[in-house]
Amino acid sequence: NNITVTFDSPADGAAALQVYDYTGKLAEYKQIIVSKGANSTMFTISGYSNGMYFLTINNAEHRLSAKFVVTHQ
C-alpha cells in the first residue's frame, strides 16, 4: 500500500518528510528535493499499523503538516 502526498512549495530546494505515529514515534523519514510550485512524493504504508499518523514536510523556512489514518483490512 502506498500513499501519495501532493503539496505546493514556495521555493526550490531540499526538504525533510517525516511521519510520526500517535505516540510521537518516528515512522518514516525521507529527504526529498522540491521545486517551486506543485510537488508530489510517494511512500509505502504497508508496514504501518492501523491508526492515526502525522506528516510534516519542512525545510529551513517552511513547514507543512497533515494527518492521515491507516486502516488495513
Short mmCIF file of all heavy atoms in Angstrom, two decimals:
data_model
loop_
_atom_site.label_atom_id
_atom_site.label_comp_id
_atom_site.label_asym_id
_atom_site.label_seq_id
_atom_site.Cartn_x
_atom_site.Cartn_y
_atom_site.Cartn_z
N ASN A 1 0.84 -1.18 0.00
CA ASN A 1 0.00 0.00 0.00
C ASN A 1 0.88 1.24 0.00
O ASN A 1 1.81 1.34 0.78
CB ASN A 1 -0.90 0.02 1.21
CG ASN A 1 -1.81 -1.17 1.31
OD1 ASN A 1 -1.64 -2.17 0.61
ND2 ASN A 1 -2.79 -1.08 2.16
N ASN A 2 0.53 2.18 -0.83
CA ASN A 2 1.28 3.43 -0.93
C ASN A 2 0.38 4.61 -0.66
O ASN A 2 -0.84 4.53 -0.82
CB ASN A 2 1.88 3.58 -2.33
CG ASN A 2 2.91 2.53 -2.63
OD1 ASN A 2 3.73 2.20 -1.78
ND2 ASN A 2 2.89 1.99 -3.82
N ILE A 3 0.99 5.70 -0.28
CA ILE A 3 0.28 6.96 -0.13
C ILE A 3 1.06 8.01 -0.92
O ILE A 3 2.29 8.01 -0.92
CB ILE A 3 0.12 7.36 1.35
CG1 ILE A 3 -0.80 8.56 1.50
CG2 ILE A 3 1.45 7.61 2.02
CD1 ILE A 3 -1.21 8.84 2.93
N THR A 4 0.33 8.85 -1.63
CA THR A 4 0.94 9.93 -2.39
C THR A 4 0.55 11.26 -1.74
O THR A 4 -0.62 11.49 -1.47
CB THR A 4 0.47 9.91 -3.85
OG1 THR A 4 0.84 8.66 -4.43
CG2 THR A 4 1.11 11.04 -4.65
N VAL A 5 1.54 12.08 -1.50
CA VAL A 5 1.33 13.39 -0.89
C VAL A 5 1.60 14.44 -1.96
O VAL A 5 2.64 14.42 -2.61
CB VAL A 5 2.29 13.60 0.29
CG1 VAL A 5 2.09 14.96 0.92
CG2 VAL A 5 2.12 12.50 1.32
N THR A 6 0.64 15.33 -2.17
CA THR A 6 0.82 16.43 -3.10
C THR A 6 0.79 17.74 -2.31
O THR A 6 0.01 17.88 -1.36
CB THR A 6 -0.26 16.45 -4.19
OG1 THR A 6 -1.54 16.52 -3.57
CG2 THR A 6 -0.19 15.21 -5.06
N PHE A 7 1.65 18.67 -2.69
CA PHE A 7 1.77 19.92 -1.95
C PHE A 7 2.43 20.97 -2.83
O PHE A 7 3.08 20.65 -3.82
CB PHE A 7 2.58 19.71 -0.66
CG PHE A 7 3.98 19.20 -0.91
CD1 PHE A 7 5.05 20.07 -0.98
CD2 PHE A 7 4.21 17.84 -1.08
CE1 PHE A 7 6.32 19.60 -1.22
CE2 PHE A 7 5.49 17.36 -1.31
CZ PHE A 7 6.55 18.25 -1.39
N ASP A 8 2.26 22.22 -2.46
CA ASP A 8 2.91 23.34 -3.13
C ASP A 8 4.09 23.81 -2.29
O ASP A 8 4.00 23.89 -1.07
CB ASP A 8 1.95 24.51 -3.32
CG ASP A 8 0.90 24.22 -4.37
OD1 ASP A 8 1.22 23.50 -5.35
OD2 ASP A 8 -0.23 24.70 -4.23
N SER A 9 5.18 24.12 -2.96
CA SER A 9 6.37 24.64 -2.29
C SER A 9 6.62 26.06 -2.77
O SER A 9 6.53 26.33 -3.97
CB SER A 9 7.59 23.77 -2.61
OG SER A 9 8.76 24.34 -2.04
N PRO A 10 6.95 26.97 -1.85
CA PRO A 10 7.22 28.35 -2.27
C PRO A 10 8.61 28.54 -2.89
O PRO A 10 8.89 29.59 -3.44
CB PRO A 10 7.09 29.14 -0.96
CG PRO A 10 7.39 28.15 0.11
CD PRO A 10 6.91 26.82 -0.41
N ALA A 11 9.48 27.50 -2.79
CA ALA A 11 10.84 27.64 -3.31
C ALA A 11 11.42 26.28 -3.67
O ALA A 11 10.95 25.25 -3.21
CB ALA A 11 11.72 28.31 -2.26
N ASP A 12 12.47 26.29 -4.49
CA ASP A 12 13.23 25.08 -4.81
C ASP A 12 14.13 24.72 -3.63
O ASP A 12 14.52 25.59 -2.86
CB ASP A 12 14.15 25.33 -6.02
CG ASP A 12 13.39 25.62 -7.30
OD1 ASP A 12 12.23 25.22 -7.41
OD2 ASP A 12 13.99 26.22 -8.20
N GLY A 13 14.47 23.43 -3.52
CA GLY A 13 15.45 23.03 -2.51
C GLY A 13 15.15 21.68 -1.89
O GLY A 13 14.25 20.96 -2.31
N ALA A 14 15.93 21.36 -0.87
CA ALA A 14 15.77 20.11 -0.14
C ALA A 14 14.77 20.30 0.99
O ALA A 14 14.63 21.38 1.55
CB ALA A 14 17.11 19.67 0.43
N ALA A 15 14.06 19.21 1.30
CA ALA A 15 13.10 19.22 2.40
C ALA A 15 13.11 17.85 3.06
O ALA A 15 13.57 16.87 2.49
CB ALA A 15 11.70 19.56 1.89
N ALA A 16 12.60 17.81 4.27
CA ALA A 16 12.50 16.56 5.01
C ALA A 16 11.03 16.19 5.17
O ALA A 16 10.22 17.01 5.58
CB ALA A 16 13.15 16.69 6.38
N LEU A 17 10.70 14.95 4.81
CA LEU A 17 9.36 14.41 5.03
C LEU A 17 9.45 13.50 6.25
O LEU A 17 10.30 12.60 6.29
CB LEU A 17 8.89 13.62 3.81
CG LEU A 17 7.51 13.00 3.89
CD1 LEU A 17 6.87 12.98 2.52
CD2 LEU A 17 7.54 11.60 4.46
N GLN A 18 8.62 13.76 7.24
CA GLN A 18 8.62 12.95 8.46
C GLN A 18 7.20 12.53 8.77
O GLN A 18 6.26 13.31 8.63
CB GLN A 18 9.17 13.76 9.63
CG GLN A 18 10.61 14.19 9.41
CD GLN A 18 11.06 15.22 10.42
OE1 GLN A 18 10.41 16.24 10.59
NE2 GLN A 18 12.17 14.95 11.07
N VAL A 19 7.05 11.27 9.19
CA VAL A 19 5.76 10.74 9.61
C VAL A 19 5.92 10.21 11.03
O VAL A 19 6.84 9.44 11.32
CB VAL A 19 5.29 9.60 8.67
CG1 VAL A 19 3.97 9.02 9.16
CG2 VAL A 19 5.15 10.09 7.24
N TYR A 20 5.01 10.62 11.91
CA TYR A 20 5.00 10.19 13.31
C TYR A 20 3.69 9.47 13.60
O TYR A 20 2.64 9.87 13.09
CB TYR A 20 5.11 11.40 14.25
CG TYR A 20 6.42 12.13 14.13
CD1 TYR A 20 6.56 13.19 13.24
CD2 TYR A 20 7.51 11.75 14.90
CE1 TYR A 20 7.77 13.86 13.12
CE2 TYR A 20 8.72 12.42 14.79
CZ TYR A 20 8.84 13.47 13.91
OH TYR A 20 10.03 14.13 13.79
N ASP A 21 3.75 8.45 14.44
CA ASP A 21 2.51 7.82 14.87
C ASP A 21 1.90 8.62 16.01
O ASP A 21 2.44 9.65 16.42
CB ASP A 21 2.74 6.34 15.24
CG ASP A 21 3.57 6.13 16.50
OD1 ASP A 21 3.81 7.10 17.27
OD2 ASP A 21 3.97 4.98 16.73
N TYR A 22 0.76 8.18 16.52
CA TYR A 22 0.04 8.95 17.53
C TYR A 22 0.79 9.07 18.85
O TYR A 22 0.50 9.94 19.66
CB TYR A 22 -1.37 8.37 17.77
CG TYR A 22 -1.36 7.04 18.48
CD1 TYR A 22 -1.52 6.96 19.85
CD2 TYR A 22 -1.18 5.86 17.77
CE1 TYR A 22 -1.49 5.74 20.50
CE2 TYR A 22 -1.15 4.64 18.40
CZ TYR A 22 -1.31 4.59 19.77
OH TYR A 22 -1.26 3.38 20.41
N THR A 23 1.80 8.22 19.09
CA THR A 23 2.60 8.31 20.32
C THR A 23 3.79 9.24 20.15
O THR A 23 4.52 9.50 21.10
CB THR A 23 3.13 6.92 20.75
OG1 THR A 23 4.09 6.46 19.79
CG2 THR A 23 2.01 5.93 20.91
N GLY A 24 4.02 9.73 18.92
CA GLY A 24 5.15 10.61 18.66
C GLY A 24 6.38 9.88 18.14
O GLY A 24 7.42 10.50 17.90
N LYS A 25 6.26 8.58 17.92
CA LYS A 25 7.38 7.78 17.41
C LYS A 25 7.54 8.03 15.91
O LYS A 25 6.57 8.00 15.16
CB LYS A 25 7.12 6.30 17.67
CG LYS A 25 8.23 5.40 17.18
CD LYS A 25 7.91 3.95 17.46
CE LYS A 25 8.94 3.05 16.82
NZ LYS A 25 8.56 1.65 16.94
N LEU A 26 8.78 8.25 15.49
CA LEU A 26 9.06 8.48 14.07
C LEU A 26 8.85 7.19 13.30
O LEU A 26 9.46 6.17 13.59
CB LEU A 26 10.50 8.97 13.90
CG LEU A 26 10.94 9.32 12.48
CD1 LEU A 26 10.16 10.53 11.97
CD2 LEU A 26 12.43 9.61 12.46
N ALA A 27 7.96 7.22 12.31
CA ALA A 27 7.65 6.05 11.49
C ALA A 27 8.32 6.11 10.13
O ALA A 27 8.56 5.07 9.51
CB ALA A 27 6.14 5.91 11.32
N GLU A 28 8.64 7.30 9.66
CA GLU A 28 9.21 7.47 8.31
C GLU A 28 10.02 8.76 8.29
O GLU A 28 9.62 9.78 8.86
CB GLU A 28 8.09 7.57 7.28
CG GLU A 28 8.52 7.71 5.86
CD GLU A 28 8.65 6.39 5.14
OE1 GLU A 28 8.06 5.39 5.61
OE2 GLU A 28 9.32 6.34 4.12
N TYR A 29 11.16 8.71 7.64
CA TYR A 29 11.96 9.91 7.40
C TYR A 29 12.52 9.81 6.00
O TYR A 29 13.08 8.77 5.62
CB TYR A 29 13.11 10.04 8.40
CG TYR A 29 13.97 11.25 8.14
CD1 TYR A 29 13.62 12.48 8.68
CD2 TYR A 29 15.11 11.16 7.35
CE1 TYR A 29 14.38 13.61 8.42
CE2 TYR A 29 15.88 12.28 7.09
CZ TYR A 29 15.52 13.49 7.64
OH TYR A 29 16.28 14.61 7.39
N LYS A 30 12.34 10.85 5.22
CA LYS A 30 12.76 10.81 3.83
C LYS A 30 13.21 12.21 3.42
O LYS A 30 12.49 13.18 3.62
CB LYS A 30 11.57 10.35 2.99
CG LYS A 30 11.79 10.19 1.52
CD LYS A 30 10.49 9.63 0.90
CE LYS A 30 10.55 9.61 -0.60
NZ LYS A 30 9.31 9.12 -1.19
N GLN A 31 14.41 12.32 2.87
CA GLN A 31 14.87 13.58 2.29
C GLN A 31 14.31 13.67 0.87
O GLN A 31 14.39 12.69 0.11
CB GLN A 31 16.39 13.63 2.23
CG GLN A 31 17.05 13.88 3.57
CD GLN A 31 16.92 15.34 4.01
OE1 GLN A 31 16.75 16.25 3.20
NE2 GLN A 31 16.97 15.55 5.30
N ILE A 32 13.73 14.80 0.53
CA ILE A 32 13.18 14.98 -0.81
C ILE A 32 13.68 16.30 -1.40
O ILE A 32 14.04 17.22 -0.66
CB ILE A 32 11.64 14.93 -0.81
CG1 ILE A 32 11.05 16.00 0.13
CG2 ILE A 32 11.13 13.56 -0.43
CD1 ILE A 32 9.53 16.10 0.09
N ILE A 33 13.71 16.36 -2.71
CA ILE A 33 14.04 17.60 -3.41
C ILE A 33 12.73 18.15 -3.97
O ILE A 33 11.99 17.42 -4.64
CB ILE A 33 15.04 17.35 -4.56
CG1 ILE A 33 16.32 16.72 -4.02
CG2 ILE A 33 15.33 18.64 -5.31
CD1 ILE A 33 17.08 17.57 -3.02
N VAL A 34 12.46 19.41 -3.67
CA VAL A 34 11.20 20.01 -4.13
C VAL A 34 11.50 21.15 -5.10
O VAL A 34 12.57 21.76 -5.07
CB VAL A 34 10.36 20.53 -2.94
CG1 VAL A 34 9.96 19.39 -2.03
CG2 VAL A 34 11.08 21.61 -2.16
N SER A 35 10.54 21.41 -5.95
CA SER A 35 10.60 22.52 -6.89
C SER A 35 9.54 23.55 -6.50
O SER A 35 8.53 23.20 -5.90
CB SER A 35 10.31 22.03 -8.31
OG SER A 35 11.23 21.05 -8.70
N LYS A 36 9.80 24.78 -6.83
CA LYS A 36 8.80 25.81 -6.57
C LYS A 36 7.52 25.44 -7.31
O LYS A 36 7.55 25.08 -8.48
CB LYS A 36 9.31 27.17 -7.03
CG LYS A 36 8.37 28.30 -6.72
CD LYS A 36 8.95 29.63 -7.11
CE LYS A 36 7.98 30.74 -6.74
NZ LYS A 36 8.53 32.06 -7.08
N GLY A 37 6.39 25.48 -6.61
CA GLY A 37 5.11 25.12 -7.21
C GLY A 37 4.66 23.75 -6.77
O GLY A 37 4.98 23.28 -5.68
N ALA A 38 3.92 23.06 -7.63
CA ALA A 38 3.31 21.76 -7.29
C ALA A 38 4.35 20.65 -7.23
O ALA A 38 5.23 20.57 -8.08
CB ALA A 38 2.24 21.41 -8.31
N ASN A 39 4.24 19.81 -6.20
CA ASN A 39 5.12 18.67 -5.99
C ASN A 39 4.29 17.48 -5.53
O ASN A 39 3.20 17.64 -4.99
CB ASN A 39 6.16 18.97 -4.91
CG ASN A 39 7.16 20.01 -5.32
OD1 ASN A 39 8.20 19.68 -5.84
ND2 ASN A 39 6.84 21.28 -5.10
N SER A 40 4.86 16.29 -5.69
CA SER A 40 4.24 15.10 -5.10
C SER A 40 5.34 14.11 -4.76
O SER A 40 6.40 14.08 -5.40
CB SER A 40 3.21 14.46 -6.04
OG SER A 40 3.84 13.94 -7.18
N THR A 41 5.09 13.31 -3.74
CA THR A 41 6.02 12.26 -3.34
C THR A 41 5.20 11.09 -2.82
O THR A 41 4.07 11.27 -2.34
CB THR A 41 7.03 12.75 -2.28
OG1 THR A 41 8.01 11.75 -2.05
CG2 THR A 41 6.35 13.13 -0.98
N MET A 42 5.75 9.89 -2.94
CA MET A 42 5.02 8.68 -2.55
C MET A 42 5.87 7.90 -1.56
O MET A 42 7.09 7.89 -1.65
CB MET A 42 4.74 7.83 -3.78
CG MET A 42 3.92 6.59 -3.49
SD MET A 42 3.43 5.68 -4.99
CE MET A 42 5.01 5.24 -5.67
N PHE A 43 5.20 7.25 -0.60
CA PHE A 43 5.89 6.32 0.29
C PHE A 43 4.97 5.17 0.66
O PHE A 43 3.75 5.26 0.51
CB PHE A 43 6.47 7.03 1.52
CG PHE A 43 5.46 7.75 2.38
CD1 PHE A 43 4.93 7.14 3.50
CD2 PHE A 43 5.08 9.04 2.08
CE1 PHE A 43 4.02 7.80 4.29
CE2 PHE A 43 4.18 9.72 2.87
CZ PHE A 43 3.64 9.10 3.98
N THR A 44 5.57 4.08 1.10
CA THR A 44 4.84 2.84 1.39
C THR A 44 4.34 2.83 2.83
O THR A 44 5.10 3.13 3.74
CB THR A 44 5.76 1.63 1.15
OG1 THR A 44 6.20 1.67 -0.19
CG2 THR A 44 5.04 0.33 1.41
N ILE A 45 3.07 2.45 3.01
CA ILE A 45 2.49 2.36 4.35
C ILE A 45 2.11 0.93 4.72
O ILE A 45 1.47 0.71 5.74
CB ILE A 45 1.28 3.30 4.51
CG1 ILE A 45 0.19 2.97 3.50
CG2 ILE A 45 1.69 4.76 4.40
CD1 ILE A 45 -1.13 3.67 3.77
N SER A 46 2.52 -0.03 3.91
CA SER A 46 2.11 -1.42 4.19
C SER A 46 2.66 -1.93 5.52
O SER A 46 2.06 -2.80 6.14
CB SER A 46 2.54 -2.34 3.04
OG SER A 46 3.94 -2.28 2.86
N GLY A 47 3.77 -1.40 5.98
CA GLY A 47 4.33 -1.82 7.26
C GLY A 47 3.80 -1.05 8.45
O GLY A 47 4.17 -1.32 9.59
N TYR A 48 2.93 -0.08 8.21
CA TYR A 48 2.37 0.73 9.30
C TYR A 48 1.21 -0.03 9.96
O TYR A 48 0.44 -0.69 9.30
CB TYR A 48 1.81 2.04 8.76
CG TYR A 48 2.84 3.07 8.33
CD1 TYR A 48 4.11 2.72 7.92
CD2 TYR A 48 2.51 4.41 8.29
CE1 TYR A 48 5.02 3.67 7.51
CE2 TYR A 48 3.42 5.36 7.88
CZ TYR A 48 4.67 4.98 7.50
OH TYR A 48 5.57 5.93 7.09
N SER A 49 1.10 0.14 11.26
CA SER A 49 -0.06 -0.39 11.99
C SER A 49 -1.26 0.51 11.74
O SER A 49 -1.11 1.68 11.38
CB SER A 49 0.23 -0.43 13.49
OG SER A 49 1.33 -1.27 13.76
N ASN A 50 -2.46 -0.03 11.96
CA ASN A 50 -3.66 0.80 11.87
C ASN A 50 -3.58 1.92 12.88
O ASN A 50 -3.10 1.73 13.99
CB ASN A 50 -4.91 -0.04 12.15
CG ASN A 50 -5.23 -1.01 11.04
OD1 ASN A 50 -4.70 -0.92 9.94
ND2 ASN A 50 -6.09 -1.96 11.32
N GLY A 51 -4.04 3.10 12.49
CA GLY A 51 -4.05 4.23 13.41
C GLY A 51 -3.84 5.54 12.71
O GLY A 51 -3.74 5.62 11.49
N MET A 52 -3.74 6.60 13.53
CA MET A 52 -3.55 7.95 13.03
C MET A 52 -2.07 8.28 12.98
O MET A 52 -1.31 7.92 13.87
CB MET A 52 -4.27 8.97 13.92
CG MET A 52 -4.18 10.38 13.39
SD MET A 52 -5.06 11.58 14.39
CE MET A 52 -6.72 10.99 14.18
N TYR A 53 -1.70 9.01 11.92
CA TYR A 53 -0.31 9.43 11.72
C TYR A 53 -0.27 10.92 11.38
O TYR A 53 -1.24 11.46 10.85
CB TYR A 53 0.34 8.62 10.59
CG TYR A 53 0.54 7.18 10.97
CD1 TYR A 53 -0.49 6.26 10.82
CD2 TYR A 53 1.74 6.74 11.49
CE1 TYR A 53 -0.33 4.94 11.18
CE2 TYR A 53 1.92 5.41 11.86
CZ TYR A 53 0.88 4.52 11.70
OH TYR A 53 1.04 3.21 12.06
N PHE A 54 0.85 11.53 11.70
CA PHE A 54 1.05 12.95 11.45
C PHE A 54 2.24 13.11 10.51
O PHE A 54 3.31 12.57 10.76
CB PHE A 54 1.29 13.68 12.77
CG PHE A 54 0.15 13.51 13.73
CD1 PHE A 54 0.17 12.48 14.65
CD2 PHE A 54 -0.95 14.35 13.68
CE1 PHE A 54 -0.88 12.29 15.53
CE2 PHE A 54 -2.01 14.16 14.55
CZ PHE A 54 -1.98 13.14 15.47
N LEU A 55 2.04 13.86 9.45
CA LEU A 55 3.03 14.08 8.41
C LEU A 55 3.50 15.52 8.45
O LEU A 55 2.68 16.43 8.58
CB LEU A 55 2.40 13.78 7.04
CG LEU A 55 3.21 14.19 5.84
CD1 LEU A 55 4.04 13.02 5.36
CD2 LEU A 55 2.32 14.68 4.73
N THR A 56 4.81 15.73 8.37
CA THR A 56 5.34 17.07 8.21
C THR A 56 6.33 17.07 7.04
O THR A 56 7.05 16.09 6.84
CB THR A 56 6.05 17.60 9.46
OG1 THR A 56 7.17 16.77 9.76
CG2 THR A 56 5.12 17.66 10.65
N ILE A 57 6.32 18.13 6.29
CA ILE A 57 7.33 18.38 5.27
C ILE A 57 7.90 19.75 5.58
O ILE A 57 7.16 20.74 5.64
CB ILE A 57 6.72 18.35 3.85
CG1 ILE A 57 6.11 16.98 3.56
CG2 ILE A 57 7.78 18.70 2.81
CD1 ILE A 57 5.35 16.90 2.26
N ASN A 58 9.21 19.80 5.83
CA ASN A 58 9.78 21.09 6.18
C ASN A 58 11.16 21.28 5.59
O ASN A 58 11.87 20.33 5.29
CB ASN A 58 9.79 21.31 7.69
CG ASN A 58 10.51 20.24 8.45
OD1 ASN A 58 11.38 19.57 7.93
ND2 ASN A 58 10.17 20.08 9.70
N ASN A 59 11.48 22.56 5.41
CA ASN A 59 12.83 22.97 5.05
C ASN A 59 13.22 24.07 6.03
O ASN A 59 12.54 24.26 7.04
CB ASN A 59 12.93 23.40 3.58
CG ASN A 59 12.09 24.61 3.25
OD1 ASN A 59 11.65 25.34 4.13
ND2 ASN A 59 11.84 24.83 1.98
N ALA A 60 14.26 24.81 5.74
CA ALA A 60 14.73 25.82 6.68
C ALA A 60 13.72 26.93 6.92
O ALA A 60 13.73 27.56 7.98
CB ALA A 60 16.05 26.41 6.19
N GLU A 61 12.82 27.17 5.97
CA GLU A 61 11.92 28.32 6.08
C GLU A 61 10.43 28.00 6.17
O GLU A 61 9.66 28.83 6.62
CB GLU A 61 12.13 29.24 4.87
CG GLU A 61 13.53 29.79 4.78
CD GLU A 61 13.74 30.63 3.52
OE1 GLU A 61 12.74 30.98 2.87
OE2 GLU A 61 14.90 30.90 3.21
N HIS A 62 10.02 26.82 5.74
CA HIS A 62 8.59 26.50 5.67
C HIS A 62 8.31 25.12 6.25
O HIS A 62 9.15 24.23 6.21
CB HIS A 62 8.11 26.55 4.21
CG HIS A 62 8.30 27.89 3.59
ND1 HIS A 62 9.42 28.21 2.88
CD2 HIS A 62 7.51 28.99 3.60
CE1 HIS A 62 9.32 29.46 2.46
NE2 HIS A 62 8.18 29.95 2.88
N ARG A 63 7.07 24.96 6.73
CA ARG A 63 6.63 23.68 7.28
C ARG A 63 5.19 23.43 6.88
O ARG A 63 4.33 24.30 7.05
CB ARG A 63 6.76 23.70 8.79
CG ARG A 63 6.32 22.43 9.46
CD ARG A 63 6.44 22.56 10.97
NE ARG A 63 6.03 21.35 11.61
CZ ARG A 63 6.77 20.68 12.46
NH1 ARG A 63 7.95 21.13 12.81
NH2 ARG A 63 6.33 19.58 13.01
N LEU A 64 4.93 22.24 6.37
CA LEU A 64 3.57 21.80 6.04
C LEU A 64 3.22 20.64 6.95
O LEU A 64 4.07 19.79 7.23
CB LEU A 64 3.49 21.34 4.59
CG LEU A 64 3.93 22.34 3.52
CD1 LEU A 64 4.04 21.64 2.18
CD2 LEU A 64 2.94 23.48 3.46
N SER A 65 1.99 20.57 7.40
CA SER A 65 1.56 19.49 8.29
C SER A 65 0.23 18.92 7.83
O SER A 65 -0.61 19.65 7.30
CB SER A 65 1.40 20.00 9.73
OG SER A 65 2.61 20.49 10.22
N ALA A 66 0.06 17.63 8.05
CA ALA A 66 -1.20 16.97 7.73
C ALA A 66 -1.31 15.72 8.59
O ALA A 66 -0.32 15.26 9.17
CB ALA A 66 -1.26 16.59 6.26
N LYS A 67 -2.50 15.18 8.69
CA LYS A 67 -2.68 13.90 9.37
C LYS A 67 -3.43 12.95 8.46
O LYS A 67 -4.17 13.38 7.57
CB LYS A 67 -3.38 14.07 10.72
CG LYS A 67 -4.76 14.63 10.66
CD LYS A 67 -5.30 14.82 12.06
CE LYS A 67 -6.65 15.52 12.01
NZ LYS A 67 -7.19 15.71 13.34
N PHE A 68 -3.22 11.65 8.68
CA PHE A 68 -3.91 10.64 7.90
C PHE A 68 -4.11 9.41 8.76
O PHE A 68 -3.45 9.22 9.78
CB PHE A 68 -3.17 10.31 6.60
CG PHE A 68 -1.80 9.72 6.77
CD1 PHE A 68 -1.62 8.35 6.76
CD2 PHE A 68 -0.69 10.53 6.91
CE1 PHE A 68 -0.36 7.80 6.89
CE2 PHE A 68 0.58 9.98 7.05
CZ PHE A 68 0.75 8.63 7.04
N VAL A 69 -5.05 8.57 8.35
CA VAL A 69 -5.39 7.35 9.09
C VAL A 69 -5.10 6.15 8.20
O VAL A 69 -5.47 6.12 7.03
CB VAL A 69 -6.88 7.35 9.50
CG1 VAL A 69 -7.24 6.05 10.18
CG2 VAL A 69 -7.16 8.54 10.41
N VAL A 70 -4.43 5.16 8.78
CA VAL A 70 -4.16 3.89 8.09
C VAL A 70 -5.15 2.87 8.62
O VAL A 70 -5.28 2.68 9.83
CB VAL A 70 -2.71 3.42 8.34
CG1 VAL A 70 -2.50 2.03 7.77
CG2 VAL A 70 -1.73 4.41 7.74
N THR A 71 -5.86 2.21 7.70
CA THR A 71 -6.80 1.15 8.06
C THR A 71 -6.58 -0.01 7.10
O THR A 71 -7.00 0.04 5.94
CB THR A 71 -8.25 1.64 7.95
OG1 THR A 71 -8.41 2.81 8.71
CG2 THR A 71 -9.22 0.58 8.45
N HIS A 72 -5.86 -1.03 7.57
CA HIS A 72 -5.66 -2.24 6.76
C HIS A 72 -6.85 -3.16 6.98
O HIS A 72 -7.33 -3.30 8.08
CB HIS A 72 -4.39 -2.97 7.17
CG HIS A 72 -3.14 -2.15 6.97
ND1 HIS A 72 -2.62 -1.88 5.72
CD2 HIS A 72 -2.31 -1.56 7.86
CE1 HIS A 72 -1.53 -1.16 5.87
NE2 HIS A 72 -1.32 -0.96 7.15
N GLN A 73 -7.28 -3.82 5.93
CA GLN A 73 -8.41 -4.73 6.08
C GLN A 73 -7.98 -6.15 5.88
O GLN A 73 -7.02 -6.48 5.32
CB GLN A 73 -9.49 -4.36 5.07
CG GLN A 73 -10.02 -2.99 5.35
CD GLN A 73 -11.20 -2.65 4.47
OE1 GLN A 73 -11.79 -3.51 3.82
NE2 GLN A 73 -11.56 -1.38 4.44
#
